[in-house]
Amino acid sequence: VKLVESGGALVQAGDSLRLSCAATGPTFGNFAMGWFRQAPGKEREFVAALAWNGGNIRLQDSVKGRYTMSRDTTKDTVYLQMNDLKPEDTAVYYCVAGRLGASSLSYEYNYWGQGTQVTVSS
């Protein structure tokens, strides 16, 4: 499975962005998908995840009410809709895929994208 993220940009606080993650591979539909992020000087952290069928959506507490995650199996793509962005959301966002379900644990994902930069100015 190969994952390619897109949609990162420089935006102002309060703006919205939608990140996309296009997956290639014969068994994409069987994988749970997720997003992690890493800010400069900080450890990588969980953002969101969903199960292979688009259910069991999990979100980090700090993004609940602002972020949503979805998948379009017809396009082999998952999305992270980010609203009301804050400067503390600035990070490189990584798309991940794994077989163990919608997990917040990075080591449970087998595949990682190259990342896309999101920068939120105040």
Side-chain angles (χ1 to χ4, degrees), residues 62-75:
S62 69
V63 305
K64 286 180 180 177
R66 301 189 296 123
Y67 288 19
T68 59
M69 185 177 178
S70 61
R71 73 189 297 165
D72 184 340
T73 55
T74 65
K75 298 180 179 179

Side-chain angles (χ1 to χ4, degrees), residues 37-39 41-45:
R37 67 185 181 186
Q38 187 166 20
K42 295 186 177 181
E43 293 188 354
R44 191 171 295 177
E45 64 176 0

Side-chain angles (χ1 to χ4, degrees), residues 95-107:
C95 177
V96 298
R99 298 182 180 274
L100 298 182
S103 171
S104 63
L105 303 174
S106 60
Y107 59 79

Side-chain angles (χ1 to χ4, degrees), residues 1-108:
V1 176
K2 181 179 179 182
L3 306 173
V4 179
E5 304 98 332
S6 61
L10 169 63
V11 297
Q12 293 186 335
D15 286 350
S16 297
L17 271 180
R18 188 177 77 162
L19 304 184
S20 300
C21 174
T24 58
T27 59
F28 167 73
N30 298 330
F31 284 77
M33 304 293 295
W35 292 91
F36 285 75
R37 67 185 181 186
Q38 187 166 20
K42 295 186 177 181
E43 293 188 354
R44 191 171 295 177
E45 64 176 0
F46 168 75
V47 177
L50 49 67
W52 66 272
N53 61 357
N56 193 25
I57 297 173
R58 303 181 64 180
L59 295 166
Q60 186 202 106
D61 286 345
S62 69
V63 305
K64 286 180 180 177
R66 301 189 296 123
Y67 288 19
T68 59
M69 185 177 178
S70 61
R71 73 189 297 165
D72 184 340
T73 55
T74 65
K75 298 180 179 179
D76 289 345
T77 300
V78 295
Y79 304 97
L80 183 68
Q81 177 66 45
M82 306 183 295
N83 299 323
D84 189 23
L85 283 161
K86 305 176 185 300
E88 52 264 40
D89 296 318
T90 295
V92 177
Y93 283 70
Y94 297 91
C95 177
V96 298
R99 298 182 180 274
L100 298 182
S103 171
S104 63
L105 303 174
S106 60
Y107 59 79
E108 293 193 348

